[in-house]
Amino acid sequence: GARGLCFGDPGGPVIRHRDGAAALVGINWTIGDSDCAANGAMFFLDLQSPEAAAFLAPYLTAAPPPVEP
């Protein structure tokens, strides 16, 4: 059956699927249910919040070109 956030998952992505497209909307924070139930409490950082956007903005720049070996 369906399972929820479990041990080892914090730090992983929260993905929303809509209209055939996937979007990163959060980062798993911690679990609130020791049995990893699908309906258990799950906590995550909302990447769509103004505070998160302001914090992340300086780090969201274009990737540098690859380094030649």
Side-chain angles (χ1 to χ4, degrees):
R3 308 239 344 141
L5 190 61
C6 205
F7 300 101
D9 292 342
V14 175
I15 306 291
R16 177 186 66 208
H17 296 275
R18 184 186 297 169
D19 300 326
L24 176 66
V25 296
I27 300 172
N28 292 320
W29 187 265
T30 187
I31 64 171
D33 191 322
S34 63
D35 68 0
C36 308
N39 61 351
M42 297 178 211
F43 303 95
F44 67 95
L45 170 63
D46 181 0
L47 293 177
Q48 298 178 332
S49 73
E51 296 84 5
F55 174 79
L56 294 171
Y59 305 101
L60 299 177
T61 60
V67 176
E68 295 293 325

